[in-house]
């Protein structure tokens, strides 16, 4: 299989290159980047020096699959001609995640560049939508926060254990913001909340969770936080239990059976740490009943650049092309 | 004024020494420490080298005030003889925080060493209890998490803006756990939740907030998290608004008027970062209405070793001895 | 005394404001900043919110002393009119450090904006040049690396203990590079050397050390490194011992007597850590004889924004205006 | 191939497990650990949960190769019976690195447990000693600092470009000290030197470099530093050039030709950062002529737990068993 990466010089793009380089069934044949066009990949991105490619402005040669790691709006635009040629694509940007172009406009403040294609896109969370992903031309790779929040909450909602009056309090490493946004000295040794009540991943979480909610209704507070580390997301999710007598055992059973066949979700009995996911495609989930408040608390964590971006994109690729879901993604986390 | 510090070699104890050293009305005359007894203070704690004292096992000479920075249970025990002599004390341990010795036993798993003294203790949050603090022999210095959570939530509860069905999702730097607990390589670049649904600061938060709640009832989920930084606590607090039409302006007004005379609480209109409190006694509070969910979200942040421990202890001392509340505590935060 | 700060929004400028705010003899009466002009100081620099000033483009009112925290070349230019009015200045930029305008041109790649003033400037390392500083109109505040390296090496050179064939291997926190240069995710968890053999602080170190060298000759390798922390410089300095029989005791004595009257230099017998200087104006120095190699190794460390910039500037101010050298600078380091 | 790991719960042991798990030719069949004996591997070391093994006190079953990740002295002792059975071993401890048991005693303060086996051991730096490694029963895996320092300096010494009057100023992440030694809050945001003039890796560096020195003589100052990051070593090495007219081109050529066939050494023209080696087995080397001082400065960097420990151990295994040297070690660095 030949794969191309659009915008290899961003964090998601370079992480895609790292992962695909170790994938036994894939060859990266083309990588693009604007300001670095013309450079050897290893000049622009030194840790990829052993991948023998030159960065170009546009994709070159024919490929079986394109990964786009461009920012939103630009991504859908650049993918247009590629999709016209029938090539399949995994889009890491937000462009094909929301089904409703009006909602896209509301949150992203631009008109969707190709609303007519929204129907061709599958939401690429393979734990929930493997069949759609397998058949889609476009796979919209979920956001990093939504991946953690949705995987943490869906089993409880789906099993009817909780009310969908939800709080997702999420903590992210700095790489989630992309290259160059936060100067070291101003975020190091500091935690802060941002986009309180108004982050763009809000509608994405609601869209998926409401399809699992019995009455289709989800009320959500989503508060992202910036934490002084490079990678990692930990989402702490709160939902009122519908039945106060629900046991911890019943909850664990619901979660374990929901993810029985999911190679990348670990349901655990102790609070996880993001460090246990570093560099791996694993999402660790820890549901606990908080008896005093009558709530279910679920902690989900993952590496925002792997299961939250590039790793999930490769997992989607595996599903799209009928490969084993975990192929090329079996590396363990780097610890400590 | 002469002050003694019991257990100067712990993080709170050494921070007390740093702050008191710069206080114009106080002289530190005695510092204790078990394993370091006999050493010069600067040998055991190098950054305090310019304080010319020897660490002893027991307090020496007579003092006007004792600060205890011992762990719980040990603290109440060691303070006993000191209190018998009529000396006043600020206890940084948890021993005099909970009014009910049964609750103490439930959470701390030991019998309270001196339940008969609980009535003599004031809860040392001067923004709420200055009068009690001024007159008390024992001041129970609040926990770091409770300080942030209570200061963030009390104005809204007191003004009747919210239901007391609360979530406090708190993020703390590693120094909050005391000396030596967490090895660098295992907490660096990682976030995790701990003591989910069962942290010892839970009853302390409930005890204070319920005295402000109209029906005396508080339901609380409290989830502390460990964040890879040395100092700082950020508490993100969630409460349902009682009236959906409450405006952001109304909320800000309630908070600003509540803290009008509080020299160490800043109510701000933008999400704060813990780094803006480093080394200072400030607690920054940011209340926001989350219209979509009908909740009030309040972020509170502070330096866990200053406003969350030693600084607040000195603020309590100022109130106890009729000094200006902010004396010796006016240093600005160290940024970046 | 009234003081003005030019460019209060840079790291050195804001640190000057923090320190001067706590200085009993000084009032900050004017602060400038280009992009933030018109804003309240607390809007642009939140941790300085309790200083009640508006940022202006130019200095306002009359002041006794101006601190310039501008970049080189711009600084000398902007100081011109101020100096013409007879106001005294401490310049934190590099503009008045090198005595020879040709050397300035060689290292900074621009012509010196006011070479005629170089003769009026003193090199503001008060441990060495207090008399010159006291009488100067312009004080050139030394670079952060040179402060550490020179204070570490001068006593040995001055006492004739070593050959001046020197290596200074220095490690700096990220704030030394100024605002915004290094994105968090790309310098966190990483160490690297930079400007090997060609850093601009090279001639500054050589200029001062050669005036202490018996033959006026200094050969120096200076290698700066970037370390993942916000503040702190540690310089590890190597020099061949002239006499192989020199004892550790002799060395300690030379260092201790050299700094007998220096309130901000601590000569210690154990390897220091930068953390013991955080926020304080202290430089800690640890000289050791490496018997196996016949070298003297001297470790010097300090907070690059305090003793390496703003604190030293205030120390210079104290000397210039006949105040106690340590006034306003007595705060202990923040640890941990 | 079946491999056993003694002491899988230390940092080197767990890193061995991670790497071997991804090695196509190896099966880990036995893992030992004292305090964790009886537990599932994933209970004791969560990120290794997908390796289905139980930790035992002693090795179980027969293995082709044993890796020992025990501390020195204990390691040689525990390996004794294993070696007696003819099993081959890679020892990550220091026990078989120094050829002279007297030197071992001098530096490690204990008698060597099995001096009679020192002759059977090869020093496992495959870039230099592949032939010896291939034939040895015991391979002494080099220390992390020596790996960086030796690889950085050998080409210049071997080519006769420099005097062997050397300084190695090395900076290491905290994991190099093993589990649990440094509490987070006391090393974070701090740099310090330690063991100045007396670190145990000193004789190991000298032993190897002197075998490349023309006159067999090496004078070395070795200063290790602790840097606030988890992984990574950067060694900055200084040596006087023998001939002042040596060009940068000549040096690069000497280095590139020396490492022509070394799959894990990259000789580069720009200063490297440790982050570019995170999780990979690469050592990056950057030699620069410092014309002003007449010295060669060489920066070498690597991941102390991979090329500095477990990765190099697997590389040695590949060489010992005739596998491709880079097999199982081809993963790229994790960046950012």
């Amino acid at each position: 299989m030949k794969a191309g990466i659009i915008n290899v010089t961003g964090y998601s793009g370079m992480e895609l290159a790292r992962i695909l380089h170790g994938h036994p069934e894939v060859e990266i044949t083309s990588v693009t980047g604007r300001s670095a066009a013309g450079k050897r990949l290893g000049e622009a991105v030194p840790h990829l020096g052993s991948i023998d490619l030159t960065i170009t402005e546009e994709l070159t040669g024919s490929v079986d699959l394109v990964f786009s790691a461009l920012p939103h709006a630009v991504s859908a635009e650049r993918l247009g001609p590629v999709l016209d040629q029938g090539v399949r694509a995994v889009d890491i940007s937000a462009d094909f995640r929301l089904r409703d172009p009006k909602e896209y406009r509301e949150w992203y403040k631009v008109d969707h560049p190709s609303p007519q294609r929204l129907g061709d896109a599958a939401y690429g969370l393979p734990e929930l939508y493997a069949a759609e992903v397998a058949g889609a031309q476009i796979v919209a790779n979920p956001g990093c926060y939504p991946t953690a929040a949705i995987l943490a909450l869906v089993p409880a909602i789906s099993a009817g254990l909780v009310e969908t009056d939800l709080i997702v309090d999420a903590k992210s490493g700095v790489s989630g913001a992309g290259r160059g946004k936060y100067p070291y000295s101003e975020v190091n040794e500091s935690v802060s909340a941002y986009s309180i009540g108004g982050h763009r991943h809000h509608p994405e979480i609601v869209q998926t969770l409401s399809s699992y909610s019995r009455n289709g209704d989800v009320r959500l507070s989503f508060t992202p936080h910036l934490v002084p580390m490079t990678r990692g997301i930990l989402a702490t999710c709160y939902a009122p239990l519908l039945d106060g007598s629900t046991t911890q055992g019943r909850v664990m059973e619901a979660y374990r059976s929901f993810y029985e066949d999911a190679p990348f979700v670990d349901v655990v009995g102790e609070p996880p740490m993001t460090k246990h996911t570093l560099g791996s495609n694993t999402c660790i989930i820890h549901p606990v009943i908080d008896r005093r408040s009558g709530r279910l608390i679920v902690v989900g964590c993952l590496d925002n650049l792997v299961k939250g971006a590039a790793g999930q994109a490769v997992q989607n690729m595996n599903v799209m092309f009928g490969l084993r879901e975990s192929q090329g993604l079996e590396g363990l986390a780097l610890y400590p």
Side-chain angles (χ1 to χ4, degrees), chain A:
Chain A
M1 262 190 65
K2 292 179 183 175
I5 302 170
I6 301 181
N7 197 23
V8 74
T9 57
Y11 290 160
S12 295
M14 58 178 80
E15 189 67 350
L16 268 170
R18 178 185 75 86
I19 296 171
L20 291 173
H21 180 64
H23 195 295
E25 302 291 333
V26 180
E27 188 192 359
I28 312 171
T29 57
S30 175
V31 294
T32 83
R34 210 169 14 189
S35 60
K39 289 193 186 168
R40 303 291 305 160
L41 182 50
E43 270 178 277
V45 191
H47 74 292
L48 302 178
S50 56
I51 303 177
D52 186 25
L53 283 170
T54 295
I55 300 173
T56 52
E57 248 185 279
E58 302 289 331
L59 288 172
T60 56
S62 75
V63 294
D64 300 296
L65 177 67
V66 164
F67 293 93
S68 168
L70 286 168
H72 68 90
V74 191
S75 189
E77 244 180 79
R78 280 284 294 280
L79 281 174
V82 179
L83 295 165
D84 285 343
Q85 292 164 34
V87 176
R88 300 176 80 183
V90 176
D91 181 15
I92 293 188
S93 90
D95 281 346
F96 295 97
R97 294 180 195 157
L98 299 179
R99 279 188 296 266
D100 179 351
K102 268 177 278 168
E103 201 162 26
Y104 181 88
R105 170 150 199 97
E106 182 192 335
W107 288 91
Y108 291 91
K109 313 296 175 204
V110 286
D111 285 321
H112 196 286
S114 46
Q116 77 287 359
R117 293 194 196 274
L118 287 173
D120 303 337
Y123 189 69
L125 203 50
E127 286 76 10
L128 305 185
Y129 303 112
E132 290 85 339
V133 167
Q137 190 192 6
I138 310 172
V139 172
N141 215 57
C144 48
Y145 286 124
T147 299
I150 294 167
L151 292 178
L153 285 166
V154 151
I157 294 172
S158 168
L161 299 173
V162 294
E163 272 181 71
T164 47
D165 185 10
L166 309 168
I167 288 174
V168 172
D169 188 287
K171 297 90 183 160
S172 172
V174 179
S175 66
R179 286 194 87 160
K181 187 158 170 203
Y182 290 106
Y184 183 89
S185 304
E186 299 179 30
V187 295
N188 189 36
E189 291 291 292
S190 195
V191 177
S192 55
Y194 65 98
S195 302
I196 303 174
H199 190 279
R200 286 166 170 176
H201 287 172
H202 189 285
E204 194 181 330
I205 299 172
V206 170
Q207 174 179 279
T208 298
L209 292 184
S210 50
S211 75
Y212 282 84
S213 163
R214 300 214 166 167
N215 59 5
D217 212 42
V218 163
R219 199 160 63 129
L220 170 69
S221 292
F222 169 53
T223 316
H225 295 76
L226 194 68
V227 163
M229 60 186 191
T230 300
R231 295 180 179 220
I233 278 183
L234 188 114
T236 313
C237 308
Y238 302 85
L241 284 166
L242 277 166
D243 174 352
S245 66
T246 307
T247 62
Q248 179 70 19
R250 166 81 187 87
V251 167
M252 289 301 280
E253 191 195 296
Y255 273 76
R256 292 210 157 117
S257 88
F258 193 95
Y259 291 121
E260 205 165 16
D261 302 321
F264 295 117
V265 180
D266 278 0
V267 178
V268 302
E270 293 298 320
M273 53 204 297
T274 58
K275 205 177 182 75
H276 282 148
T277 67
L278 181 67
S280 87
N281 200 46
T282 305
C283 176
I284 311 180
I285 290 185
H286 172 56
V288 201
I289 287 182
D290 181 23
R291 195 62 65 202
R292 278 185 189 84
S293 68
R295 290 191 185 92
L296 179 69
I297 303 180
V298 193
V299 178
C301 76
L302 48 77
D303 181 327
N304 58 301
L305 293 181
V306 186
K307 182 62 177 165
Q312 183 142 274
V314 172
Q315 185 184 353
N316 278 316
M317 176 196 78
N318 287 340
V319 174
M320 290 167 85
F321 288 81
L323 305 172
R324 189 161 40 78
E325 189 173 345
S326 58
Q327 205 156 10
L329 291 166
E330 281 143 337
L332 300 178
L334 204 65
Y335 180 94

